[in-house]
Amino acid sequence: MTTEASGANTKVARVIREYGLDDMGANLEAAWTGEAGERTSLRDLADEFNQAVLEAALREVGVSSLSVDVSTTYDALRGESGSSSTRARRRLEREGVDVDELTGDFVTHQAIHTYLTQEREASLPAADENMADRKVETIEKLQGRVSAVAESAVSSLANAGELDRDGYDVLVDVRAVCPNCGADAPVGELIRRGGCGCTAASEGDGDE
């Protein structure tokens, strides 16, 4: 294995270099900070990283990831004991993988955190900074997915003769209704406004 390079001393940085995972650092940072929307937890990032390491180790010995289920093999290797762990280790050893070295290069979620904060100087946004916008963006993306699925279903049923025609406009509208004043608004609008503005809830609480 290669030696540590100056300026990149964390375990994650070393493993990235040794396994040729060139884009992994940027991907980890984007997923952790939520650049693309929802944030990914450090534990999930560690699992994704370790599976990428396993896949790279298989490539190094000329084994296609199509012939080895990376996710299942990784889960088996994580088990401290059991027949599935033993079978996974033996399979990898037969393929020429040094399993002890491989598992030694697996990282923890703490190691991912150290790498992101020290090597990449990444940080999470403040708890309330842009949170409303991120939540609305997530809701709108889900609405878009539901709309696409519904449109596809309508089209398929029309083509199969189960629906009178195609071309219906599919509308997906997620709304919130205040239980106190009855105000009805799209969820995204309600979140951006910070609520419906009624005082019924606070007044009711004060009467108790």
Side-chain angles (χ1 to χ4, degrees):
M1 307 296 277
T2 57
T3 58
E4 290 282 342
S6 60
N9 297 318
T10 66
K11 180 178 181 179
V12 172
R14 171 180 63 79
V15 173
I16 286 175
R17 291 197 311 274
E18 293 174 352
Y19 287 86
L21 304 174
D22 299 335
D23 297 329
M24 182 59 72
N27 292 340
L28 289 172
E29 181 176 348
W32 185 54
T33 58
E35 285 182 17
E38 286 295 294
R39 292 181 50 238
T40 304
S41 72
L42 290 169
R43 292 185 185 278
D44 287 343
L45 288 177
D47 287 336
E48 291 174 13
F49 182 88
N50 292 338
Q51 289 186 46
V53 170
L54 171 57
E55 191 169 353
L58 290 170
R59 285 198 302 270
E60 286 182 1
V61 296
V63 177
S64 168
S65 58
L66 296 176
S67 64
V68 175
D69 189 318
V70 173
S71 178
T72 301
T73 302
Y74 171 65
D75 288 340
L77 290 175
R78 290 179 63 196
E80 297 180 358
S81 60
S83 58
S84 61
S85 176
T86 301
R87 285 196 301 270
R89 293 179 67 91
R90 288 176 178 171
R91 168 72 188 280
L92 293 175
E93 288 168 353
R94 286 198 303 271
E95 299 291 356
V97 176
D98 186 327
V99 179
D100 289 334
E101 182 177 48
L102 169 66
T103 55
D105 286 333
F106 285 167
V107 302
T108 63
H109 69 281
Q110 292 97 333
I112 294 289
H113 183 266
T114 298
Y115 168 74
L116 289 171
T117 56
Q118 294 185 11
E119 297 284 348
R120 301 190 66 87
E121 298 183 348
S123 60
L124 295 177
D128 58 349
E129 183 182 351
N130 297 324
M131 178 181 289
D133 287 338
R134 291 201 307 273
K135 296 299 183 184
V136 171
E137 183 180 354
T138 298
I139 293 169
E140 290 175 346
K141 285 180 179 178
L142 290 173
Q143 286 181 226
R145 291 176 191 168
V146 172
S147 178
V149 170
E151 287 175 355
S152 176
V154 168
S155 227
S156 298
L157 290 170
N159 291 336
E162 297 291 330
L163 198 61
D164 58 352
R165 65 179 181 277
D166 198 354
Y168 285 99
D169 291 329
V170 176
L171 304 177
V172 178
D173 187 17
V174 181
R175 308 183 69 84
V177 179
C178 176
N180 297 303
C181 70
D184 180 348
V187 169
E189 180 182 325
L190 183 80
I191 292 174
R192 289 193 173 103
R193 285 202 320 242
C196 68
C198 80
T199 59
S202 58
E203 289 174 354
D205 291 341
D207 292 337
E208 291 181 357

